[in-house]
Amino acid sequence: MLIAGAVSSESLAQPVADTVHFESLDTVLPNGGIKLHDGTVVQNLADWRSVAVSVDDTNPKRPLFCTATLIGPQFVLTAAHCVWSRGAMKKVQMVFAGAPYPVTACEIADAYRNGADMSRDVAVCVLSRGATDIRPETLDDTALYEGRAVLLMGYGCRRKYLVGNDTITEFDPPGQRRLRYGAGTIEKSDIGVDEDEQGVFARARSAPGKPALCEGDSGGPVWAGMTGAGVVPGRRIAGLNVRDGQGPSEGGQPDWYSYFLPASAPGVAQFAMDWAEKKKVAICARSRPDLANGADCRR
């Protein structure tokens, strides 16, 4: 999903149950389509079996939780606040292409565990076995720069807007959810969201009325090597959705900002690669093809 603006910001996930259940998009949305920020197209959701979402429809006002992506046959990337809450790791369940894959371990950075440092809001999880017939996505840890084209993906809200001083978020009803993504460019890089945070974030911006990152989009991939035209062989994960924010307002409605952690940030790709080596599992990373260990990575 595409976002914009920055006066206030918020984490994209909600601290709920002690168990987080992810399912890949081809099973969550078997009859759905992909809705672009400027229209609707229908594509084969099997192309996105590497992306999983956590769904909780018990609260219709805030029904979604997080997004995760397979970056190795048995290695998953998401946001730390999706799997860590109130000082403890949650129980994480993963289902890809309809098959359950028990999670043997998840890890987050000490800087997040000890102080909720949002510049380290990254988690990796190891599956008990490699996912079958699913190509893992590749982490692109080359530096992002202002003006670079990216594509933001999410599964959160339909629309976000202001009524007076209140931010209103609209969700699709259960059974009618859509995957959304929006093409954009990096508006700012190497910035902080809050004054006390390190300036490692990047952000994209969209006009009023466009979809915004919201609850459910945390941990979702920011893509490089593709645009809104559809799936391409060279798509890569250039960052991780973390926050949204309200920006400049004209005519009563603000633009929105999407804040994300670039894969090149110190706590993202390198953290994932170090932990993959420690656990002796394959990871798909552009700068370290040797760590793939023969995995059929999408490149």
Side-chain angles (χ1 to χ4, degrees):
M1 300 176 88
L2 197 57
I3 309 169
V7 173
S8 62
S9 61
E10 60 180 330
S11 172
L12 301 177
Q14 43 179 325
V16 290
D18 293 328
T19 297
V20 185
H21 179 82
F22 289 91
E23 291 192 34
S24 57
L25 291 168
D26 58 316
T27 56
V28 174
L29 305 174
N31 299 311
I34 294 177
K35 184 177 181 180
L36 298 178
H37 72 288
D38 56 358
T40 302
V41 295
V42 177
Q43 297 185 1
N44 182 8
L45 283 170
D47 291 330
W48 300 101
R49 291 188 300 169
S50 59
V51 180
V53 294
S54 176
V55 183
D56 175 11
D57 282 323
T58 57
N59 184 345
K61 293 184 178 180
R62 302 187 70 186
L64 304 172
F65 194 77
C66 279
T67 304
T69 309
L70 200 67
I71 57 170
Q74 58 184 111
F75 207 43
V76 177
L77 177 72
T78 188
H81 67 264
C82 294
V83 299
W84 177 265
S85 179
R86 297 184 290 272
M89 193 70 71
K90 297 182 179 183
K91 180 179 180 180
V92 182
Q93 301 171 336
M94 293 281 178
V95 176
F96 287 97
Y101 291 88
V103 174
T104 60
C106 291
E107 186 57 87
I108 62 174
D110 288 340
Y112 189 86
R113 177 183 287 106
N114 297 331
D117 182 349
M118 293 301 291
S119 68
R120 296 296 189 273
D121 189 8
V122 178
V124 287
C125 297
V126 177
L127 308 181
S128 62
R129 65 185 191 281
T132 304
D133 298 327
I134 301 175
R135 296 188 71 186
E137 306 295 341
T138 294
L139 275 175
D140 182 354
D141 53 355
T142 57
L144 289 178
Y145 52 86
E146 293 177 14
R148 184 179 182 182
V150 293
L151 189 144
L152 307 182
M153 174 178 283
Y155 182 62
C157 60
R158 171 169 51 187
R159 186 160 80 106
K160 181 174 284 194
Y161 56 94
L162 290 183
V163 174
N165 294 322
D166 296 327
T167 300
I168 306 300
T169 304
E170 293 183 356
F171 297 96
D172 291 329
Q176 300 180 32
R177 303 213 183 281
R178 298 279 184 125
L179 173 68
R180 274 165 288 273
Y181 57 47
T185 57
I186 303 301
E187 189 225 16
K188 292 286 186 181
S189 60
D190 298 324
I191 59 173
V193 180
D194 297 325
E195 292 182 358
D196 59 345
E197 291 176 341
Q198 296 185 42
V200 300
F201 293 89
R203 78 181 182 208
R205 177 176 175 177
S206 69
K210 302 298 183 182
L213 288 178
C214 53
E215 296 85 354
D217 296 337
S218 284
V222 177
W223 302 99
M226 65 179 295
T227 67
V231 178
V232 296
R235 73 187 190 202
R236 301 177 300 276
I237 298 175
L240 199 67
N241 295 334
V242 176
R243 291 189 174 191
D244 71 345
Q246 178 186 320
S249 178
E250 296 181 8
Q253 288 298 323
D255 290 354
W256 299 99
Y257 288 132
S258 302
Y259 288 94
F260 55 90
L261 281 171
S264 57
V268 185
Q270 191 60 56
F271 169 74
M273 289 187 289
D274 289 346
W275 214 63
E277 285 194 283
K278 178 180 178 180
K279 290 295 183 178
K280 296 181 172 54
V281 295
I283 182 175
C284 301
R286 184 175 184 181
S287 64
R288 292 290 307 274
D290 57 301
L291 296 181
N293 295 334
D296 183 22
C297 301
R298 191 186 299 273
R299 299 190 183 278

